Amino acid sequence: MILGVIADDFTGATDVASMLVRAGMPTVQVLGVPDGELPAADAVVIALKTRTIPAADAVAQSLQALAALRAAGARQIYFKYCSTFDSTAEGNIGPVTDALMQALSTDFTIACPAFPENGRTVFRGHLFVGDELLSDSGMKHHPLTPMTDANLVRVLQAQTAQNVGLLRVDALRTNAAAQIVQLRADGVRIAVADAIDNSDLLALGEACADLPLITAGSGVALGLPPAYLRRGGWSPSDTAAQLSPVQGTAAVLSGSCSQATNAQVARWIADGRAAIALDPLALHRGEQGAATLLAQALALLSQGPVLLYATAAPDNVKAVQSALGVEAAGALVEDTLAALAQGLVTAGVRRLVVAGGETSGAVVQALNVPQLRIGSPICPGVPWTEATLPDSGEPMWLALKSGNFGGVDFFADALRQAGVTL
Ligand code: ADP
């Protein structure tokens, strides 16, 4: 293993894995702290859910992930967080970085959430989201991790006792390696790195490819594989994104109520494709259930892919939530969709699109697939992935889409890309 990645959330893990595959690195994503040996791949991404949990728990899980990656021989470790530097005030980012540095016996790393292709740039240590400072962007209203300061040196310094400094873009562009030597001599332990475009990410990759630890969003992953190539001992694979061929039917499960998913569901139905609506209130009253929904779906599947959806407009969701409670409504829908996923796969579905971050988590758990091989992207950040079914050892393909990703034709695009005739 060349690179071992510890990601602080599930969709972020898929995002960085997709970047690595794009650069020719065969990559496997492991879900949760691994309990056995890691799979063989150039890069392994361990997807944790540590962004908003207490810092001590985030540290403990990250150290367990680190131990697994080191045992598998990872040459470099990458702590992946969000490109908007999402963290609570005490942070997971500072404490986890400190713990990983200590465990790796290293006195220097970088911190860089920049992802210019997605409008995340860092200049003079300040994070921009599009044309706005982070603190002026929608992130200031985030329910769990409101980001009210765009100065990342200040944000990170509040989360660590180590000295935080700045690797400026001008130095990065002229002589990054010398600047890192200087920062280290000045006692900087964690350098927030500027990056405004992809060439900055390439320069950063070259300057940091020999550090034991990198902390970053997914953007920096773009610059590492070319640096590994230049150093020898690794070369890109033409087949990094290739998944095992699958036969069998195809379906879509949608539990996301985001604006994008509402539009995607509406388009699927407007195109005259098979769709079955879940009604949370009917589910609650026992008038609807996973078994009857599954039977309806299986009757339609022989003619083509079918969509099962709980996706609804905000007013409708609010009405359901006030009747059942927010958590109970969510759990009821997630449990039903997870049971449907099991039933569909048992009945031969081998290409399954799932919409919704929490929904995807529930489905993956129900299917009991601990790892995913990452394939080609359907849209930025959402690749097809291959799972191995635990009972039969057969491969199946999963596309796990978090709420706001994808264009209006996402479902049909994903299925066509997976070889389904529509
Ligand atoms: P996203 O990625 O868009 O946030 P998630 O799957 O993470 O999607 O979250 C959506 C949540 O809303 C899930 O817990 C899901 O079970 C719940 N949900 C889905 N449909 C409805 C509905 N019609 N009424 C109430 N809750 C719903």
Side-chain angles (χ1 to χ4, degrees):
M1 190 195 310
I2 308 291
L3 183 64
V5 184
I6 302 166
D8 73 351
D9 91 330
F10 180 85
T11 46
T14 312
D15 188 8
V16 69
S18 229
M19 293 291 279
L20 294 167
V21 168
R22 177 173 142 187
M25 290 192 100
T27 302
V28 177
Q29 180 174 338
V30 175
L31 310 173
V33 171
D35 54 7
E37 218 171 280
L38 290 177
D42 290 2
V44 171
V45 180
I46 297 181
L48 301 178
K49 214 169 177 250
T50 49
R51 187 167 295 167
T52 54
I53 65 174
D57 298 341
V59 165
Q61 287 188 33
S62 304
L63 288 176
Q64 279 177 284
L66 173 68
L69 293 168
R70 290 178 94 186
R75 289 194 218 161
Q76 186 169 43
I77 301 296
Y78 190 123
F79 171 37
K80 152 75 175 78
Y81 38 74
C82 189
S83 65
T84 41
F85 215 69
D86 301 15
S87 54
T88 55
E90 321 65 76
N92 68 322
I93 297 181
V96 170
T97 301
D98 290 346
L100 294 175
M101 288 178 76
Q102 193 182 17
L104 288 162
S105 306
T106 183
D107 66 356
F108 184 80
T109 189
I110 58 154
C112 182
F115 194 176
E117 282 175 18
N118 281 356
R120 273 57 156 169
T121 53
V122 182
F123 181 66
R124 299 282 188 261
H126 288 69
L127 178 56
F128 289 80
V129 177
D131 293 337
E132 293 177 312
L133 282 167
L134 174 69
S135 46
D136 292 329
S137 77
M139 280 306 297
K140 68 181 167 204
H141 297 308
H142 192 284
L144 302 176
T145 53
M147 300 302 290
T148 53
D149 188 357
N151 181 333
L152 299 184
V153 175
R154 203 157 49 200
V155 171
L156 188 54
Q157 190 64 81
Q159 298 181 14
T160 174
Q162 301 197 87
N163 192 8
V164 180
L166 175 61
L167 175 52
R168 290 160 172 265
V169 72
D170 15 20
L172 179 68
R173 288 177 179 180
T174 48
N175 194 345
Q179 184 61 23
I180 287 178
V181 170
Q182 186 60 51
L183 286 166
R184 290 178 102 139
D186 293 345
V188 170
R189 297 286 166 254
I190 309 172
V192 169
D194 282 349
I196 297 167
D197 58 29
N198 279 355
S199 67
D200 296 328
L201 296 178
L202 293 171
L204 209 50
E206 177 57 35
C208 298
D210 301 313
L211 294 177
L213 176 70
I214 286 175
T215 87
S218 57
V220 173
L222 192 79
L224 288 175
Y228 297 149
L229 176 63
R230 278 191 292 276
R231 279 158 176 76
W234 179 80
S235 55
S237 159
D238 292 342
T239 56
Q242 202 170 311
L243 305 180
S244 310
V246 286
Q247 315 285 304
T249 43
V252 183
L253 294 174
S254 183
S256 158
C257 296
S258 70
Q259 213 176 345
T261 308
N262 267 290
Q264 289 155 355
V265 167
R267 172 61 65 90
W268 177 273
I269 294 168
D271 285 345
R273 306 189 197 284
I276 301 169
L278 277 67
D279 174 351
L281 296 176
L283 283 169
H284 178 71
R285 289 193 298 263
E287 293 160 16
Q288 209 181 39
T292 44
L293 289 164
L294 180 64
Q296 286 176 308
L298 296 184
L300 294 168
L301 261 185
S302 55
Q303 287 127 57
V306 57
L307 162 70
L308 290 134
Y309 68 100
T311 305
D315 284 352
N316 197 316
V317 173
K318 245 181 234 144
V320 168
Q321 287 175 334
S322 59
L324 305 180
V326 175
E327 270 179 36
L332 180 63
V333 171
E334 283 171 37
D335 290 349
T336 309
L337 289 171
L340 286 167
Q342 281 174 327
L344 289 168
V345 170
T346 303
V349 166
R350 291 293 177 269
R351 286 162 288 199
L352 184 62
V353 178
V354 186
E358 293 299 324
T359 308
S360 294
V363 165
V364 164
Q365 207 164 23
L367 295 178
N368 194 16
V369 288
Q371 63 195 49
L372 303 168
R373 183 166 287 278
I374 306 298
S376 308
I378 302 157
C379 66
V382 190
W384 271 108
T385 70
E386 177 186 333
T388 304
L389 293 172
D391 294 336
S392 60
E394 262 183 88
M396 80 163 288
W397 287 19
L398 286 166
L400 306 171
K401 182 191 88 81
S402 81
N404 270 316
F405 281 56
V408 72
D409 281 316
F410 179 85
F411 297 151
D413 289 347
L415 293 175
R416 281 198 198 94
Q417 194 174 317
V420 177
T421 318
L422 289 174

